[in-house]
Amino acid sequence: MTGEQQAAPIALDLGPQAALDESLSAYFDKCTEKLGFVPNVLRAYAFDAVKLKAFIDMVDNLMLAESGLTKLEREMIAVAVSAVNHCHYCLAAHGAAVRQRSGDPVMGELIAQNYRAADLPGRQKAMLDFAVKLTEAPDKIEEADRQALRDAGFSDRDIWDIAAVAGFFNMSNRIAAATDMRPNREYHFMMREDTSIET
Amino acid sequence: MTGEQQAAPIALDLGPQAALDESLSAYFDKCTEKLGFVPNVLRAYAFDAVKLKAFIDMVDNLMLAESGLTKLEREMIAVAVSAVNHCHYCLAAHGAAVRQRSGDPVMGELIAQNYRAADLPGRQKAMLDFAVKLTEAPDKIEEADRQALRDAGFSDRDIWDIAAVAGFFNMSNRIAAATDMRPNREYHFMMREDTSIET
Amino acid sequence: MTGEQQAAPIALDLGPQAALDESLSAYFDKCTEKLGFVPNVLRAYAFDAVKLKAFIDMVDNLMLAESGLTKLEREMIAVAVSAVNHCHYCLAAHGAAVRQRSGDPVMGELIAQNYRAADLPGRQKAMLDFAVKLTEAPDKIEEADRQALRDAGFSDRDIWDIAAVAGFFNMSNRIAAATDMRPNREYHFMMREDTSIET
Amino acid sequence: MTGEQQAAPIALDLGPQAALDESLSAYFDKCTEKLGFVPNVLRAYAFDAVKLKAFIDMVDNLMLAESGLTKLEREMIAVAVSAVNHCHYCLAAHGAAVRQRSGDPVMGELIAQNYRAADLPGRQKAMLDFAVKLTEAPDKIEEADRQALRDAGFSDRDIWDIAAVAGFFNMSNRIAAATDMRPNREYHFMMREDTSIET
Amino acid sequence: MTGEQQAAPIALDLGPQAALDESLSAYFDKCTEKLGFVPNVLRAYAFDAVKLKAFIDMVDNLMLAESGLTKLEREMIAVAVSAVNHCHYCLAAHGAAVRQRSGDPVMGELIAQNYRAADLPGRQKAMLDFAVKLTEAPDKIEEADRQALRDAGFSDRDIWDIAAVAGFFNMSNRIAAATDMRPNREYHFMMREDTSIET
Amino acid sequence: MTGEQQAAPIALDLGPQAALDESLSAYFDKCTEKLGFVPNVLRAYAFDAVKLKAFIDMVDNLMLAESGLTKLEREMIAVAVSAVNHCHYCLAAHGAAVRQRSGDPVMGELIAQNYRAADLPGRQKAMLDFAVKLTEAPDKIEEADRQALRDAGFSDRDIWDIAAVAGFFNMSNRIAAATDMRPNREYHFMMREDTSIET
C-alpha cells in the first residue's frame, strides 16, 4: 500500500480507525487482495465498526446477492443515479465497476455521462428511466411508473431491487458529498484499455 | 392485531414473509409490544430476512446509537428530509416520532410542514439547513457548509451523523415512493393530545 | 380567548387592529363562536378593514359558495397546493379543514404529505394533478390539461373554480411565507381522533 | 367597441355575462371611457357578479389604495412576478401599465424581460428581489429576507404591500394560465412612442 | 448617430474598437443604413476583429441562409429560447425582428411572453416545443423528440437548423447575461404600430 | 481510418458530405494526422461547408487564440459546462482534452464528475463557479458575479473569454443533444495511463 492511499478519505476528522473484528479485518484484506486497496468509503466508515459492518452488509446484499438484475445492471443504476447527483466518489468507483463488469470501457463512460445516449436495450432503458425519475422526483412516482417496469419484463421482486439500489446510491451520494469523500486514485485507471482491439 | 394492519404494506407483490430467525422474531414482537404494531416498512422488507436484518441494523444504529445528536434531533432530520421529498410514509411514521420524542405535537407538525417556520435554536436550524441542502443539491455542498455546522457547535463526528441520517432518509423516501409504502394507520393518531394544557 | 391566541400572528409590526364595522365584528364573533378563536390570517389582515373585507369576501366565495366542487374538494386543493409550497400556516389551517370536512383524519394527512399516495377517485386525482401543475409550472398549462379535467367529468365552470382556488392559495401561501404567519395552535388538535374506531 | 374586443376572453365557456348591478356597470363604463375597452380579466370574471366584485375590490385596493409603495412600484412587482411565471395576459396588461405609469416605454420592457438588467435604484431592486424569491421559492423566505427590505428603507407596512401584490399576481398569473386568458389587443400598443425624443 | 447610441454596450471594459477591415466596416455601414444603428452585440464584439467576424459569419448563416425554416421561424426560435433564459438583450433585438418579419406586433409580444399562448400552427408549435425543451433540459432529448418534429413535417435537415438556432441563442443569451449587454434603445420602438387597423 | 469511425456521427440523415475547399480539406487531414481521426462534430457539420467553416473559425478562436486563460482552463470550462448539461459528446471529447492538456488523467475525471471536488486554486474555482452559474441560471448573473471574477484576478477581457467559452458549450451541448452526436471511440482511450507512476 502506497503512502498516497493513506491520505484522508474524507474532509472530516473522525479520529483513528476502530478496532476491527476478525471478519471485518478479513474483509479489508480481501479488498486489498482483489483490488489492490481498501476502498475509501470503507476507510471512511472504519471509525466505527458497527456502522462499517451495517454498511457492508447492506451494500454487499444489494450489489452481489441473488437478484433478477445482473450485477452489471445494478452497477449501471449506481452510476446513472450518481450522474444525476454529480457524485465524484461514486462515479469514479462505480464507473470503474461498470467498465469491469461490462468488459467495455466505453459503456462505463456512457452511463456516467448520459445513459440516454447509450442506445440501451429497452429493459435497461426502462430500468434507468425509473431509477433517474426516482432520484429526481421521488414524490412523482406513480403506479404507471411501476407498470412501465413490468411491461419491460421486470417482476415485482426486480422492481424492489431497482428501487433499493437507486435508493441506496441516493444515500451514498449524499454521504460522499457531505464528507467530501475522495475515491482511491486507482479507480480512474481500471479497465481503460480498448478491449475491442484484437491483437 | 386488527385485520386492517394486515393490509399489504406496499404496492408490490413480493411473496410471503420469509422465515425470521429468533432475533428478528423477537424484534417484531418488541415492536408490537411497544407500538402496538409492526411498522409497515419492516413488513415490506420481511420477504427477505437478510435485507430486513441489514435495514434494521443500519436504521437502529443511526437513530438510536450513541451520538452527539439527540434522538429527537435525528428524527427532526428524518422529517425535514422527508418533507422535501414529500414522502407520505416517512412523514407519517417519523412525524409521529418527533411528536413523541419532543412531547410536543405542534413541533412535529412544524418540521413536517416547513422547519424554517419553527423558530428553532441556531444549532438545530443549522443542522436542518445542511440536511435540506444535502437533499436538494448534494453536488453543491462545499467546505463552507461543513464549516457552518462547526460554527454552530457540531463536531466532525456529529457532521457525519447528520449526513448519515439525512442520506438514509433520502434512501428510505425513495424506496417508499417506488413501492407506494403505506404507513400504519396508528401513526396518524399518536401523540396528538395538547400537552400544554394543564389539567 | 386565551393570552396565547393573542400572540402576534405574523412577524411584521403593522400597528393596532383597525376599527371593524359591525359586519366584520360580527364575522369575528362568529369565528370565535364556531372555532373558539379568530383565525390568525384574519387577525393579520385586521390592521386595515378594507383589505380584511376584500380578503374575506374572496375566500368565502371561493370556499363556500355554490360550486360543482364540494367544499371538501376545495379544501383538498388548498392543501395540495400548500404542500407544494411548504406553507406552514395553510397546511395547519386547511389540513384541519380537510380532516373536518372529510371526517377522516388520515385523509387530511395524506393530502398534506403527498396526494399521489391517497388512492383518490379519478375525478379528484385529475383535479389535484391540475392544481399542482398550475402551482409548479403555470406557464406550461395547455389545452390538453383543461381537456383532462373535462374528461374527468368537470364542466368549464368547475375548471374555473379549480383554477381560482389553486390560484388563491398560491397567493395566500406567499403572503403567509412573506410575513411568517403563524397558525392558531388549536388547528393542530382539531379532528385528530380516529373516527373509524367504533365504540 | 369593435367586434374584435368581443372575442372570448378565455378558453372556458362559462355562459353569458351575469347581470351587473349599477356599481359594476358603472365600473365597466369607466374602463371603456378611460381605456377604450373593458379589460378581458373583468370580462372573464363577469359570469358571476359576486366573484367579479370580490376581484375588483381586492385588486383596486392593492394597486390603487394609499401605500408606501408608489403605483408604479406596485405595477413593477406585477410585471416582475409575471415574468417569472411567463404569464402572457399579465405581461401584456401590466407591462402597459408600467410603460404608462413610468412614462418610459423602455422601462416597461426591461421589467418584463429581466428586472436585473434595469439598473434600478437599490430600493426597487430589493423590492423585486423579494417579490421574485417569494414567487420562485416561497418556502425559503426567512427573516433575513424581510430584514433586507427594512435595510432598503421599507417599513413593515410596506413589506405587507410588497407581499400582497406579489402574492396577488401569483394568483392572477395562474388563473390566466389555467383559462388561457387573452389580453385585449389594445394593451400591446399603449405607450409605445419614444418619449425621450424632443420635438 | 446620437450620443446615446455610443453608450457602452456592455458592463466590461474591453478597450477600444479594433481596426476593422473593409468587409467589416462595410457591414457596420450597412447596419447603420438599414437599421439606423450598429447593433450593440456587434459593438461589443468589435474589440477583436477575428471574434467579430466569426460571430457574424455564424449568425448570418443561421438566420439568413437558405433553410427549410422561414426567417420568421428562426426569429421565433430565438425569442422563445430567450424568453426561457430571460435575456433582456435578445428579447429586445429579436422580439423586434419577429414583429418586423411577421408584420404583426402582437405576435412578437406573444412569443416573448409565452409561445404556448400564441395559438400557433402545429408545425411551429412543435418547433418551439423542441427548442424550449432543448433549452431547459438538453440531456433529456430523445429520439421521440426528433420524431415529433418529423411528424410535424420537418426534414432531418430542418431539425439541424432548429437545433442550431436554439443552440446559438443559448450561447448568445449567456454572453449577453455575463456581460450585461444592453440593447440599442431603437429596438423597443420598432414596428409597434397596429398594422391591423385599416386606414 | 477504420470502418467503425465511419459510422454516422449523428442521428440525423443530412445527406452526403459537402465538397470541402482546400483549406477545410487540409484541416481534416491535419486532424487525422494529429488525432488519428476527424472529430465527429466536424463530420456532422460537413454536410454544409459554410456552416463547417463558421463552426471551426469560432471554436478555434475560442479555444486556441491568445487569451488570459490557458488552453487547459478553457477546456476545464468546456467540461464543467458539459457536466451540468450531461452532454455525452462534449464530456468525451473535452474530457480527453483536459486529460491531455493537464497531463493528469484524474483531473479530467474530476472536472467531468464534479469540479467542486477538485480542490482547485481559487482562480479556477471562481472561473468554474461563474461558468456553471451562467449555465444553470443565466438570468441571475449580476454585477457581483463579475466582480467575484475580478477579485480572483481576472481582467474584463478574461471575463469575456470565460463567458464566450461557457456560452459556446451551452450551444454545442445542445446541438449534440438534439442530434444524438456520438463521440469518436478513440476519445475514451486517450491519456488514460497514470502519469504519476515513475518507471
Side-chain angles (χ1 to χ4, degrees):
Chain A
M1 214 175 272
T2 74
E4 189 172 9
Q5 283 173 337
Q6 296 307 328
I10 59 174
L12 301 178
D13 180 1
L14 303 180
Q17 182 171 311
L20 303 186
D21 66 17
E22 206 168 328
S23 130
L24 287 171
S25 289
Y27 193 91
F28 273 38
D29 288 347
K30 198 165 155 193
C31 288
T32 306
E33 185 190 317
K34 287 181 67 172
L35 295 170
F37 57 89
V38 177
N40 277 344
V41 64
L42 301 183
R43 291 183 57 226
Y45 268 98
F47 73 97
D48 182 316
V50 177
K51 293 182 194 300
L52 175 62
K53 184 170 171 359
F55 178 83
I56 289 173
D57 285 352
M58 186 176 280
V59 71
D60 278 4
N61 175 270
L62 284 171
M63 303 308 279
L64 303 173
E66 192 69 26
S67 166
L69 310 179
T70 67
K71 289 173 189 170
L72 170 59
E73 287 173 335
R74 287 176 267 177
E75 293 291 348
M76 290 166 67
I77 295 172
V79 173
V81 166
S82 301
V84 173
N85 291 328
H86 297 285
C87 178
H88 170 47
Y89 185 90
C90 299
L91 285 168
H94 294 277
V98 169
R99 294 195 303 272
Q100 292 192 305
R101 292 209 178 272
S102 67
D104 178 0
V106 175
M107 162 74 103
E109 293 289 278
L110 265 160
I111 308 296
Q113 292 166 351
N114 191 336
Y115 77 95
R116 293 177 196 86
D119 201 19
L120 295 171
R123 165 189 165 91
Q124 295 181 347
K125 177 66 166 43
M127 176 184 84
L128 296 186
D129 281 346
F130 186 92
V132 165
K133 179 172 179 182
L134 189 61
T135 298
E136 295 182 330
D139 56 329
K140 295 195 174 147
I141 293 284
E142 303 199 63
E143 185 59 21
D145 298 296
R146 283 180 285 274
Q147 192 55 43
L149 289 178
R150 291 186 194 106
D151 294 346
F154 291 104
S155 70
D156 277 24
R157 183 65 184 69
D158 297 337
I159 297 176
W160 175 276
D161 286 352
I162 295 170
V165 174
F168 181 83
F169 284 94
N170 272 287
M171 175 176 73
S172 288
N173 289 175
R174 285 174 173 82
I175 294 175
T179 63
D180 191 21
M181 194 176 285
R182 295 125 188 191
N184 307 67
R185 187 174 170 82
E186 288 86 343
Y187 283 123
H188 295 292
F189 301 101
M190 287 176 170
M191 190 60 186
R192 291 292 191 185
E193 63 277 22
D194 187 348
T195 51
S196 71
I197 300 174
E198 299 189 34
T199 53
Chain B
M1 209 174 276
T2 73
E4 189 171 8
Q5 284 173 336
Q6 296 307 328
I10 59 173
L12 301 178
D13 179 1
L14 303 180
Q17 183 171 310
L20 303 185
D21 66 18
E22 207 168 326
S23 132
L24 288 171
S25 289
Y27 193 91
F28 273 38
D29 289 346
K30 200 165 154 192
C31 288
T32 306
E33 186 190 316
K34 287 181 66 172
L35 293 170
F37 58 89
V38 177
N40 277 344
V41 66
L42 301 183
R43 292 182 58 225
Y45 268 98
F47 73 97
D48 182 315
V50 177
K51 293 182 194 301
L52 175 62
K53 182 168 173 2
F55 177 82
I56 289 173
D57 285 352
M58 186 176 280
V59 70
D60 278 4
N61 176 270
L62 283 171
M63 303 308 280
L64 302 174
E66 192 68 26
S67 166
L69 311 179
T70 67
K71 289 174 188 169
L72 171 59
E73 286 172 335
R74 288 176 265 177
E75 293 291 347
M76 288 166 69
I77 295 172
V79 172
V81 166
S82 301
V84 173
N85 291 327
H86 298 286
C87 179
H88 169 46
Y89 186 91
C90 299
L91 286 168
H94 294 277
V98 169
R99 294 195 303 271
Q100 291 192 306
R101 290 209 179 272
S102 66
D104 179 359
V106 174
M107 162 75 102
E109 292 289 278
L110 265 160
I111 307 296
Q113 291 166 353
N114 192 336
Y115 76 95
R116 294 178 197 85
D119 202 19
L120 295 171
R123 166 189 164 90
Q124 295 181 346
K125 177 67 166 43
M127 176 184 83
L128 296 185
D129 281 347
F130 186 92
V132 163
K133 180 172 179 183
L134 188 61
T135 299
E136 294 182 332
D139 56 329
K140 296 197 173 145
I141 293 284
E142 303 200 62
E143 186 58 22
D145 299 297
R146 282 180 287 273
Q147 193 54 44
L149 288 178
R150 292 187 193 105
D151 294 346
F154 291 103
S155 69
D156 277 25
R157 183 65 183 71
D158 298 337
I159 297 175
W160 175 276
D161 286 350
I162 295 170
V165 174
F168 182 83
F169 284 94
N170 272 287
M171 175 176 73
S172 286
N173 290 174
R174 285 175 174 82
I175 294 175
T179 63
D180 191 19
M181 194 176 284
R182 295 125 190 190
N184 307 66
R185 186 175 170 83
E186 287 87 342
Y187 283 123
H188 296 293
F189 301 101
M190 287 177 169
M191 191 60 187
R192 290 291 190 186
E193 62 276 24
D194 188 349
T195 51
S196 71
I197 300 173
E198 299 189 33
T199 52
Chain C
M1 212 174 276
T2 73
E4 188 171 10
Q5 283 173 337
Q6 295 308 328
I10 59 174
L12 301 178
D13 179 0
L14 303 180
Q17 182 171 310
L20 303 186
D21 67 17
E22 205 168 329
S23 130
L24 288 171
S25 288
Y27 193 91
F28 274 36
D29 289 347
K30 199 165 154 193
C31 287
T32 307
E33 186 189 317
K34 285 180 68 172
L35 293 170
F37 57 89
V38 177
N40 277 345
V41 66
L42 301 183
R43 292 182 57 226
Y45 268 98
F47 73 97
D48 181 316
V50 177
K51 292 182 194 301
L52 175 62
K53 182 168 171 2
F55 177 82
I56 289 174
D57 284 353
M58 186 176 280
V59 71
D60 278 5
N61 175 270
L62 283 172
M63 303 308 280
L64 303 173
E66 192 69 25
S67 165
L69 310 180
T70 67
K71 289 173 188 170
L72 170 59
E73 286 172 336
R74 287 176 266 177
E75 293 291 347
M76 288 166 68
I77 295 172
V79 172
V81 166
S82 301
V84 173
N85 291 327
H86 298 287
C87 179
H88 170 47
Y89 185 91
C90 299
L91 285 168
H94 293 276
V98 169
R99 294 196 302 271
Q100 291 191 307
R101 290 209 180 272
S102 67
D104 178 0
V106 174
M107 161 75 103
E109 293 288 278
L110 265 160
I111 308 295
Q113 291 166 351
N114 191 336
Y115 77 94
R116 294 177 196 86
D119 201 19
L120 295 170
R123 165 188 165 92
Q124 295 181 346
K125 178 65 168 42
M127 177 184 82
L128 296 185
D129 281 346
F130 186 91
V132 164
K133 180 173 178 182
L134 188 60
T135 299
E136 294 182 330
D139 57 329
K140 296 199 173 143
I141 293 284
E142 302 200 62
E143 186 59 21
D145 299 296
R146 282 180 287 273
Q147 193 55 43
L149 288 178
R150 291 187 194 105
D151 294 346
F154 290 104
S155 70
D156 277 24
R157 183 66 184 70
D158 297 337
I159 296 175
W160 176 276
D161 286 352
I162 294 170
V165 174
F168 181 84
F169 283 94
N170 272 288
M171 174 176 73
S172 287
N173 289 175
R174 284 175 174 82
I175 294 175
T179 64
D180 191 20
M181 193 176 285
R182 295 125 189 190
N184 307 67
R185 187 174 169 83
E186 288 86 343
Y187 283 122
H188 296 293
F189 302 101
M190 287 177 170
M191 190 60 186
R192 288 295 192 185
E193 62 276 25
D194 187 349
T195 52
S196 72
I197 300 174
E198 299 189 33
T199 52
Chain D
M1 211 174 277
T2 72
E4 189 171 8
Q5 284 173 337
Q6 296 307 328
I10 58 173
L12 300 178
D13 179 2
L14 303 180
Q17 183 172 308
L20 302 186
D21 66 19
E22 207 168 328
S23 131
L24 288 171
S25 288
Y27 193 91
F28 273 37
D29 289 346
K30 198 165 155 195
C31 288
T32 306
E33 187 189 316
K34 287 181 65 172
L35 293 170
F37 57 88
V38 177
N40 277 345
V41 65
L42 301 183
R43 292 182 58 226
Y45 267 98
F47 73 96
D48 182 316
V50 177
K51 292 182 193 301
L52 175 62
K53 184 169 171 359
F55 178 82
I56 289 173
D57 285 352
M58 185 176 281
V59 72
D60 278 4
N61 175 271
L62 283 172
M63 303 308 278
L64 303 174
E66 192 69 26
S67 165
L69 310 180
T70 67
K71 288 173 188 170
L72 170 59
E73 286 173 336
R74 287 176 265 178
E75 293 290 348
M76 289 166 68
I77 295 171
V79 172
V81 166
S82 301
V84 173
N85 291 327
H86 298 286
C87 179
H88 170 47
Y89 185 91
C90 299
L91 286 168
H94 293 276
V98 169
R99 293 195 304 271
Q100 292 192 307
R101 291 209 180 272
S102 66
D104 178 358
V106 174
M107 161 75 103
E109 293 288 279
L110 265 160
I111 308 296
Q113 290 165 353
N114 191 336
Y115 76 95
R116 293 177 196 86
D119 202 19
L120 296 170
R123 165 189 164 91
Q124 295 180 347
K125 178 65 166 45
M127 176 184 84
L128 296 186
D129 281 346
F130 186 91
V132 164
K133 180 172 178 182
L134 188 61
T135 299
E136 294 182 331
D139 56 328
K140 294 195 175 147
I141 293 284
E142 303 199 62
E143 185 59 21
D145 299 296
R146 283 180 287 273
Q147 192 54 43
L149 289 178
R150 291 187 194 105
D151 294 346
F154 291 103
S155 70
D156 277 24
R157 182 65 183 69
D158 297 337
I159 297 175
W160 175 276
D161 286 352
I162 295 170
V165 174
F168 181 82
F169 284 94
N170 272 288
M171 175 176 73
S172 287
N173 289 175
R174 284 176 174 82
I175 294 175
T179 63
D180 191 20
M181 193 176 286
R182 295 125 189 190
N184 306 67
R185 185 174 170 83
E186 288 85 343
Y187 283 123
H188 296 293
F189 302 101
M190 287 177 169
M191 190 60 185
R192 289 293 191 185
E193 61 275 25
D194 187 348
T195 52
S196 71
I197 299 174
E198 298 189 35
T199 54
Chain E
M1 210 174 276
T2 73
E4 188 171 10
Q5 283 172 338
Q6 295 308 329
I10 60 173
L12 301 178
D13 179 1
L14 302 180
Q17 183 171 311
L20 303 185
D21 67 19
E22 207 169 327
S23 131
L24 288 170
S25 289
Y27 193 91
F28 273 37
D29 290 346
K30 200 165 153 191
C31 288
T32 307
E33 188 190 315
K34 287 180 66 173
L35 293 170
F37 57 88
V38 177
N40 277 345
V41 65
L42 300 184
R43 291 182 59 225
Y45 268 97
F47 74 97
D48 182 317
V50 177
K51 292 183 194 301
L52 175 62
K53 184 168 170 4
F55 178 82
I56 289 173
D57 285 353
M58 186 176 280
V59 71
D60 278 4
N61 176 269
L62 283 172
M63 303 308 280
L64 302 174
E66 192 69 27
S67 166
L69 309 180
T70 67
K71 289 173 188 168
L72 171 59
E73 286 172 337
R74 287 175 266 178
E75 293 291 348
M76 289 166 69
I77 295 172
V79 173
V81 166
S82 301
V84 173
N85 291 328
H86 298 285
C87 179
H88 169 46
Y89 185 91
C90 299
L91 286 168
H94 293 277
V98 168
R99 294 196 301 273
Q100 292 192 304
R101 291 208 179 273
S102 67
D104 178 1
V106 174
M107 160 76 101
E109 293 288 278
L110 264 160
I111 308 296
Q113 291 166 353
N114 191 337
Y115 76 95
R116 293 177 195 86
D119 201 19
L120 295 170
R123 166 189 164 92
Q124 295 181 347
K125 177 65 166 43
M127 177 184 82
L128 297 185
D129 281 346
F130 186 91
V132 164
K133 179 172 178 182
L134 189 61
T135 298
E136 294 182 331
D139 57 328
K140 295 196 174 147
I141 293 285
E142 303 200 63
E143 186 59 22
D145 299 296
R146 282 180 288 273
Q147 193 54 44
L149 289 178
R150 291 187 193 105
D151 295 346
F154 291 103
S155 69
D156 277 24
R157 182 66 184 69
D158 298 337
I159 297 175
W160 175 276
D161 286 352
I162 295 170
V165 174
F168 181 83
F169 284 94
N170 272 288
M171 175 176 73
S172 287
N173 290 174
R174 284 175 174 82
I175 294 175
T179 64
D180 191 19
M181 193 175 285
R182 296 126 189 188
N184 306 67
R185 185 174 169 83
E186 288 85 342
Y187 283 123
H188 296 293
F189 302 102
M190 288 176 169
M191 189 61 187
R192 289 294 190 186
E193 62 276 25
D194 188 347
T195 51
S196 72
I197 299 174
E198 299 189 32
T199 53
Chain F
M1 211 174 274
T2 72
E4 189 172 8
Q5 283 173 336
Q6 295 306 328
I10 59 174
L12 301 178
D13 180 1
L14 303 180
Q17 182 171 311
L20 303 185
D21 66 18
E22 208 168 325
S23 130
L24 288 170
S25 288
Y27 193 91
F28 273 38
D29 289 347
K30 200 166 154 191
C31 288
T32 307
E33 187 189 316
K34 286 180 67 172
L35 293 170
F37 57 89
V38 177
N40 276 344
V41 66
L42 300 183
R43 292 181 59 225
Y45 268 96
F47 75 93
D48 182 316
V50 177
K51 292 182 195 301
L52 175 62
K53 184 170 170 0
F55 177 83
I56 289 173
D57 285 352
M58 185 175 281
V59 71
D60 278 4
N61 176 270
L62 284 171
M63 303 307 280
L64 302 174
E66 193 68 27
S67 165
L69 310 180
T70 67
K71 289 174 188 170
L72 171 59
E73 286 172 336
R74 288 175 266 178
E75 292 292 347
M76 288 166 69
I77 295 172
V79 172
V81 166
S82 302
V84 173
N85 291 328
H86 297 286
C87 179
H88 169 48
Y89 186 91
C90 299
L91 286 169
H94 294 276
V98 169
R99 294 195 303 272
Q100 292 192 307
R101 291 208 180 273
S102 66
D104 179 359
V106 173
M107 160 75 102
E109 293 289 279
L110 265 160
I111 308 296
Q113 290 165 353
N114 191 336
Y115 77 94
R116 295 178 196 85
D119 200 19
L120 295 170
R123 166 189 165 91
Q124 295 181 347
K125 178 65 167 43
M127 177 184 83
L128 296 186
D129 281 346
F130 186 92
V132 163
K133 179 172 178 183
L134 189 60
T135 299
E136 295 181 331
D139 57 328
K140 294 195 175 148
I141 293 284
E142 302 199 64
E143 185 59 21
D145 299 296
R146 282 180 287 273
Q147 193 54 45
L149 289 178
R150 292 187 193 106
D151 294 346
F154 291 103
S155 70
D156 276 25
R157 182 67 184 69
D158 297 337
I159 298 176
W160 175 276
D161 286 351
I162 295 170
V165 174
F168 181 84
F169 284 94
N170 272 287
M171 175 176 72
S172 287
N173 289 174
R174 284 175 174 82
I175 294 176
T179 64
D180 190 20
M181 194 176 285
R182 295 124 190 191
N184 306 67
R185 185 174 171 83
E186 287 86 342
Y187 283 122
H188 297 293
F189 302 101
M190 287 176 170
M191 190 60 186
R192 290 292 191 187
E193 61 276 24
D194 188 348
T195 52
S196 71
I197 299 175
E198 300 188 32
T199 53

